């Protein structure tokens, strides 16, 4: 269990689809976080995974029926007591029943009594996902306040491929964690907004096998993509070197290696973005010479590495906007990873950087001593060009992402 979590009551509903076996990974995610997990399968789900598996994994009864344990009134109590309901997989039939308010099994009855966040992770064939009836049911569930994830694209049952795959259990778990930390973290306020996000570190080659790199994991940039997609945005993620990240469903990924490649991708795509978030740790310098073949040991000390300065992509975006190459409305967000030194603390350096970069928002992180790089949690400050400074409390990187997106939304509202 991480520093920010306490034991909560999580209901995992399982619909009757082939992806029901992946619900076991979702259950594990929440039990391993120390939560009290109650699994409610539909009757159809038990055709795919046995009740004993769900009971063993959760340590609780896992019946689909309202008429088991009647003295406990489970059809009311389980929903009333829940802090989070996650449905994985959410089949077309289950979402149709939930959208129309049916209560013909324990899971749908629970959905009617739950007052906590409800997260649907759909899985079905592409035709079913794209059918107007399913689209309408998804819209109804969202209008009722539920979060319906975008399914992943890829291999479905048999040889079919397309949108409709269950999002990765890790992704479902991370969004569930976010809703436990902040139930209103995912409003649908970025519908249709095009967001370009950079993430991870760049690698600047010395020769074909060696490079200068940094310790960025990409987790904060991926968390921004994860939260932005669920808020309705259309997200492109330009990803440098990353580690320990899962890819959010519905996000377009453009992989890059060097700062120069990242600059090329950002420049090409920024003109059609409403928001650009530079979360990547871009190398400030690169070796002047990139050896064609591996630099050999020859008994003598190697030549010193001579470095040259990389272009500042973030500053370039601000300049391009001022020159009219981007629209005035484009929101530009920068990050500042600071350690503090004799000239000032982390926040002092952040304030100076905001002015120097000229972006609309700057997220300031304290780094070093195991903070921020590679961790799952983050904390810092959010500075705006209009002079506001907000402390971002310690929490998951997805929580931090949700607060950054709130600020992006606010800047967009103010500009209109
Ligand atoms: O100057 P510093 O590297 O601390 O600035 C960090 C911010 O600037 C981050 O948003 C980073 O993505 C961006 N940056 C950039 N191009 C560089 C260096 C940093 O866009 N060459």
């Amino acid at each position: 269990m991480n520093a920010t979590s306490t034991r909560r009551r999580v209901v995992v509903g399982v619909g009757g689809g082939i992806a029901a076996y992946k619900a076991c990974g979702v259950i594990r995610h929440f039990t391993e976080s120390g939560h009290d997990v109650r699994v409610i399968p539909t009757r159809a789900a038990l055709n795919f995974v046995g009740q004993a598996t769900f009971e063993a994994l959760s340590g609780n009864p896992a019946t689909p029926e309202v008429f088991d344990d009647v003295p406990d009134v489970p059809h009311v109590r389980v929903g009333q007591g829940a802090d989070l309901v996650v449905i994985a997989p959410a089949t077309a039939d289950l979402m149709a029943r939930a959208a129309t308010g049916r209560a013909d099994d324990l899971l749908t009855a629970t959905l009617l009594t739950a007052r906590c966040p409800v997260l649907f992770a759909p899985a079905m064939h592409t035709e079913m996902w794209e059918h107007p009836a399913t689209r309408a049911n998804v819209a109804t569930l969202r209008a009722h306040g539920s979060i319906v994830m975008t399914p992943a694209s890829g291999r479905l049952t048999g040889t079919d491929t397309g949108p409709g795959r269950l999002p990765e259990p890790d992704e479902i778990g991370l969004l569930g964690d976010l809703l436990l930390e902040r139930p209103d973290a995912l409003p649908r306020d970025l519908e249709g907004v095009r967001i370009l996000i950079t993430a991870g570190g760049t690698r600047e080659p010395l020769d074909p096998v060696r490079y200068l790199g940094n310790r960025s994991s990409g987790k904060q940039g991926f968390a921004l993509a994860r939260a932005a997609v669920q808020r309705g945005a259309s997200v492109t993620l330009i990803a440098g070197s990353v580690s320990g990240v899962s890819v959010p469903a519905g996000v377009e990924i453009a992989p890059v290696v060097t700062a120069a490649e990242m600059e090329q991708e950002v420049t090409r795509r920024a003109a059609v973005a409403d928001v650009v978030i530079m979360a990547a740790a871009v190398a400030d310098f690169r070796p002047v010479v990139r050896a064609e073949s591996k630099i050999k040991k020859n008994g003598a000390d190697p030549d010193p590495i001579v470095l040259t300065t990389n272009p500042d992509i973030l500053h370039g975006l601000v300049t391009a906007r001022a020159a009219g190459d981007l629209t005035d409305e484009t929101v530009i967000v920068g990050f500042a990873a600071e350690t503090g030194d004799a000239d000032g603390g982390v926040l002092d350096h952040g304030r100076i950087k905001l002015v120097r970069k000229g972006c609309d928002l700057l997220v300031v992180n304290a780094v070093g001593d195991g903070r921020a790089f590679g961790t799952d949690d983050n904390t810092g400050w959010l500075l705006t060009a209009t002079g506001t400074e907000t402390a971002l409390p310690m929490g998951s990187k997805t929580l931090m992402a949700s607060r950054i997106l709130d600020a992006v939304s606010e800047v967009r509202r103010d500009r209109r």
Side-chain angles (χ1 to χ4, degrees), residues 163-399:
R165 239 175 102 87
L166 186 75
E168 287 307 312
D170 276 353
E171 281 297 307
I172 301 169
L174 288 169
L175 281 182
D177 291 345
L178 170 66
L179 294 168
L180 286 169
E181 285 176 284
R182 189 182 175 208
D184 61 350
L186 298 173
R188 209 82 194 155
D189 59 344
L190 297 171
E191 198 80 59
V193 178
R194 296 161 303 176
I195 305 190
L196 184 61
I197 301 170
T198 65
T202 64
R203 290 181 171 176
E204 309 299 325
L206 283 161
D207 68 16
V209 293
R210 303 185 182 93
Y211 57 82
L212 296 180
N214 60 62
R215 295 154 62 98
S216 173
S217 64
K219 285 183 180 173
Q220 188 59 67
F222 275 62
L224 278 155
R226 174 178 310 122
V229 162
Q230 301 314 326
R231 288 168 76 144
S234 136
V235 179
T236 303
L237 193 49
I238 300 177
S241 67
V242 297
S243 65
V245 293
S246 57
V247 178
V251 170
E252 184 193 350
I253 304 251
V256 295
V257 178
T258 63
E261 287 172 20
M262 186 170 278
E263 185 192 29
Q264 235 178 23
E265 283 291 342
V266 171
T267 311
R268 192 164 72 78
R269 294 168 186 268
V272 289
D274 303 302
V275 180
V276 184
I277 306 181
M278 288 292 307
V282 186
D284 292 321
F285 312 108
R286 67 176 184 280
V288 172
V289 177
R290 174 187 182 164
E292 290 295 322
S293 51
K294 187 178 170 192
I295 301 166
K296 295 281 185 218
K297 282 184 283 195
N298 60 8
D301 284 340
D303 292 337
I305 299 167
V306 182
L307 300 175
T308 185
T309 305
N310 274 329
D312 188 319
I313 307 171
L314 177 58
H315 192 254
L317 285 169
V318 173
T319 311
R321 184 176 59 181
D325 297 339
L326 307 181
T327 67
D328 288 347
E329 281 80 43
T330 314
V331 180
I332 303 175
V333 184
F335 273 69
E338 301 291 344
T339 55
D341 58 22
D343 293 330
V346 170
L347 197 47
D348 300 317
H349 284 289
R351 289 181 189 125
I352 294 165
K353 192 162 288 182
L354 176 64
V355 175
R356 184 158 52 80
K357 299 271 187 180
C359 48
D360 303 300
L361 297 167
L362 188 79
V363 184
V364 184
N365 285 149
V367 295
D369 301 330
R371 290 175 300 186
F373 280 132
T375 61
D376 292 324
D377 288 348
N378 208 354
T379 175
W381 292 268
L382 190 58
L383 313 186
T384 68
T386 50
T388 59
E389 297 186 354
T390 312
L392 299 167
M394 177 60 88
S396 70
K397 286 188 170 171
T398 322
L399 177 68

Side-chain angles (χ1 to χ4, degrees), residues 90-125:
T91 58
D93 176 67
L94 179 50
M95 288 201 291
R97 289 191 292 127
T100 49
R102 296 289 299 267
D104 48 0
D105 60 9
L106 183 55
L107 181 51
T108 45
T110 298
L111 284 171
L112 285 184
T113 54
R115 291 295 173 269
C116 58
V118 176
L119 176 66
F120 286 87
M124 64 197 73
H125 277 85

Side-chain angles (χ1 to χ4, degrees), residues 6-237:
T6 50
R7 186 172 165 82
R8 312 289 289 280
R9 276 174 291 195
V10 178
V11 173
V12 178
V14 186
I18 186 77
Y21 75 94
K22 292 190 184 167
C24 298
V26 177
I27 297 162
R28 264 244 131 83
H29 175 95
F30 292 112
T31 53
E32 279 176 9
S33 297
H35 299 309
D36 179 18
V37 179
R38 171 88 192 237
V39 182
I40 311 183
T42 61
R43 290 171 204 114
L46 297 182
N47 288 317
F48 296 94
V49 180
Q51 188 167 335
T53 301
F54 293 137
E55 294 189 343
L57 284 176
S58 66
N60 276 316
T63 174
E65 304 298 343
V66 229
F67 294 107
D68 291 350
D69 301 320
V70 171
D72 283 343
V73 212
H75 72 290
V76 180
R77 296 269 182 273
V78 178
Q80 282 175 335
D83 295 303
L84 172 70
V85 179
V86 177
I87 314 282
T91 58
D93 176 67
L94 179 50
M95 288 201 291
R97 289 191 292 127
T100 49
R102 296 289 299 267
D104 48 0
D105 60 9
L106 183 55
L107 181 51
T108 45
T110 298
L111 284 171
L112 285 184
T113 54
R115 291 295 173 269
C116 58
V118 176
L119 176 66
F120 286 87
M124 64 197 73
H125 277 85
T126 304
E127 292 84 348
M128 296 173 97
W129 173 248
E130 289 175 349
H131 194 282
T134 305
R135 309 307 311 149
N137 290 330
V138 168
T140 302
L141 291 169
R142 285 181 176 153
H144 292 171
S146 296
I147 290 117
V148 182
M149 292 177 76
T150 308
S153 258
R155 185 85 188 265
L156 304 168
T157 329
T159 54
D160 303 1
T161 58
R165 239 175 102 87
L166 186 75
E168 287 307 312
D170 276 353
E171 281 297 307
I172 301 169
L174 288 169
L175 281 182
D177 291 345
L178 170 66
L179 294 168
L180 286 169
E181 285 176 284
R182 189 182 175 208
D184 61 350
L186 298 173
R188 209 82 194 155
D189 59 344
L190 297 171
E191 198 80 59
V193 178
R194 296 161 303 176
I195 305 190
L196 184 61
I197 301 170
T198 65
T202 64
R203 290 181 171 176
E204 309 299 325
L206 283 161
D207 68 16
V209 293
R210 303 185 182 93
Y211 57 82
L212 296 180
N214 60 62
R215 295 154 62 98
S216 173
S217 64
K219 285 183 180 173
Q220 188 59 67
F222 275 62
L224 278 155
R226 174 178 310 122
V229 162
Q230 301 314 326
R231 288 168 76 144
S234 136
V235 179
T236 303
L237 193 49

